[in-house]
Amino acid sequence: MNENFVTLNGPGEGEYEEKNSVFIGYAAPISSEDDALAIIKSKKKEYYDARHNVWAYVLPDGVTQRYSDDGEPQGTGGMPTLSVITKRGICGACVVVTRYFGGTLLGAGGLVRAYTQAASAAIDAAGIKRFDRFTGVEIKLSYSDYQKLGKLLAPYHIIDTETDYSDSVTVSFSVKSDEAQTLLDSFTEISAGRWSVSLTGEKWGCVCEQI
């Protein structure tokens, strides 16, 4: 299982013009093929009068990829758009580039450049962020030991912290999976077995807003 994946931070739009042809790029995160098809359908409806609506998407698994030249010469629209996504290592993303023809043929090289630029502009506008695998941890400890916990967790990437106060303190959080064992070892060393520690599963999480 991959330890991390990169996806879009949100939807974004960018534009590129070449010899009066206007290329409007739109990029958005997706979680399924249905999401991608819905975006493509929406953009075709929005730009119903455009000459071409070229598209490409990569599902969150990073393996399933689709693209379409939508009437442009083979290899000049869909594949360049897909390449922009894959070369940045992005998963779970759909990009649609709409072309309004400006009256001048651009040739294969010009089309590849234009679709690449428009797709890149859309992804730049959307922004990208990295998700990592996180391991859930639950600790039960005394109030006196609880005072030590904050300092102990400080060097680690921690998300989703919840604390329950009763006769003892129960703290639940998620730590980056590649840091989990080191953290657990430190718990054992410091607590001398006094703390009750259990793992609660894995999930994807993000500790950075955007990269």
Side-chain angles (χ1 to χ4, degrees):
M1 180 180 293
N2 292 336
E3 288 301 317
N4 61 70
F5 74 90
V6 175
T7 190
L8 297 180
N9 195 49
E13 189 169 290
E15 189 172 303
Y16 179 79
E17 186 172 338
E18 178 85 8
K19 297 180 180 178
N20 295 322
S21 280
V22 177
F23 296 79
I24 304 168
Y26 177 82
I30 57 172
S31 59
S32 67
E33 197 151 28
D34 286 343
D35 289 347
L37 296 176
I39 289 170
I40 294 164
K41 182 179 179 180
S42 173
K43 288 301 166 182
K44 286 186 173 182
K45 182 177 180 180
E46 179 179 357
Y47 298 114
Y48 67 91
D49 56 341
R51 178 70 67 91
H52 306 282
N53 285 285
V54 166
W55 53 264
Y57 61 84
V58 179
L59 294 188
D61 61 14
V63 176
T64 307
Q65 305 174 359
R66 303 281 188 271
Y67 67 89
S68 170
D69 293 310
D70 194 38
E72 293 283 28
Q74 184 176 2
T76 62
M79 180 56 74
T81 300
L82 178 63
S83 292
V84 173
I85 303 172
T86 57
K87 285 180 179 178
R88 298 197 188 191
I90 297 171
C91 301
C94 177
V95 177
V96 181
V97 180
T98 300
R99 180 190 183 188
Y100 281 95
F101 184 55
T104 302
L105 296 176
L106 302 183
L111 288 173
V112 170
R113 179 174 60 254
Y115 280 106
T116 298
Q117 291 292 335
S120 295
I123 289 175
D124 288 343
I128 59 176
K129 59 183 178 181
R130 188 188 71 248
F131 281 83
D132 296 280
R133 294 297 301 181
F134 278 76
T135 298
V137 180
E138 183 179 274
I139 309 174
K140 294 183 179 181
L141 68 171
S142 67
Y143 278 84
S144 59
D145 283 339
Y146 174 61
Q147 305 303 318
K148 307 172 185 177
L149 189 61
K151 185 176 181 180
L152 189 61
L153 296 180
Y156 296 89
H157 294 90
I158 303 294
I159 61 172
D160 301 337
T161 301
E162 295 182 1
T163 306
D164 179 63
Y165 303 95
S166 57
D167 293 339
S168 60
V169 183
T170 301
V171 182
S172 302
F173 60 88
S174 294
V175 60
K176 279 184 65 176
S177 293
D178 59 3
E179 300 174 345
Q181 190 58 56
T182 302
L183 180 59
L184 294 176
D185 290 343
S186 70
F187 287 165
T188 301
E189 180 180 352
I190 291 174
S191 72
R194 294 190 307 274
W195 301 355
S196 172
V197 181
S198 59
L199 302 182
T200 59
E202 289 194 338
K203 64 179 181 179
W204 291 109
C206 182
V207 293
C208 56
E209 285 299 318
Q210 191 168 325
I211 60 174

